[in-house]
Amino acid sequence: MLNIKSAKPLPVEFYERDTLVVSRELLGKILIRITMGRILSAKIVETEAYIGDHDPASHSFNKYTERNKVMYDRGGKAYVYFIYGNYYCFNVVTGKKGEGNAVLIRAAEPVTEIDIMKKLRGKTRSIYELSNGPAKLCMAMNIERKIYGADLTKKGEVYISGNEEDMNPEILCSRRIGLSAGEEYFYRFFIKDNPYVTKHKFNKEVKIHK
DNA sequence: TATTCGATGTGCT
DNA sequence: GCACATCGAATAC
């Protein structure tokens, strides 16, 4: 049985690897957010990789700025950015210091404190829509600007733990959602048939990943 | 059910 | 000034 209170953060070595490997291995892991005196948690079911050196969709493509600087830190840091005037998106930095890579956490399946997540999200049609999108996930787990730069390898206000109950989920990959560049890369990964994954036409244009 | 469109504000050129 | 790793309501069919 999954025990959230005793769950240990994944170590630096997990994050300091190839971005695509980390991106798919994050599937099934548990995102934990300590906030409002509660332990919110959700199983990661959908991710996207963004790789600085060749990927025009990455915020770190050919540039180091005030916004993306944490992407150049070592793997295991949190990169949170504000988008479309309303929303936050949560990323995990991957690889070694100086590389500029990250994995966007696009969707997760609520595990604990689901009632709190419902309150944070406001009106939603079903439980499947609480966190099936990067900005929805941030709303449901109270992730915003002050999480920028947080160390996910420490048991702080946000971290990610392993999940013995879901060690080898069946994974599909597709193009990434919402881009105007880098559409050719199949850098989106998600758990097959999981109802908490974002609904999108790309779900039908997939490749089987191993 | 599928597609379009407006809200919103910040970072970057 | 403009683009933007989105969302959800409104519209079209």
Side-chain angles (χ1 to χ4, degrees), chain A residues 94-106:
Chain A
T94 61
K96 305 277 190 186
K97 192 174 174 72
E99 290 182 1
N101 303 323
V103 172
L104 171 68
I105 309 301
R106 279 199 59 91

Side-chain angles (χ1 to χ4, degrees), chain A residues 174 177 188 198-206:
Chain A
S174 79
I177 294 175
R188 172 174 176 250
T198 309
K199 312 283 186 278
H200 197 278
K201 63 180 180 182
F202 288 170
N203 293 6
K204 293 176 183 171
E205 304 165 14
V206 295

Side-chain angles (χ1 to χ4, degrees), chain A residues 75-138:
Chain A
K77 297 293 181 79
Y79 170 44
V80 176
Y81 64 88
F82 187 72
I83 189 82
Y84 294 116
N86 278 304
Y87 306 110
Y88 291 98
C89 292
F90 173 72
N91 296 249
V92 171
V93 177
T94 61
K96 305 277 190 186
K97 192 174 174 72
E99 290 182 1
N101 303 323
V103 172
L104 171 68
I105 309 301
R106 279 199 59 91
E109 173 179 336
V111 175
T112 61
E113 301 292 3
I114 297 174
D115 287 344
I116 301 291
M117 295 188 200
K118 285 181 180 166
K119 277 195 185 132
L120 288 166
R121 283 280 288 124
K123 192 181 73 178
T124 48
R125 261 198 289 286
S126 83
I127 190 166
Y128 302 115
E129 295 174 18
L130 279 181
S131 48
N132 64 340
K136 295 179 193 176
L137 174 66
C138 286

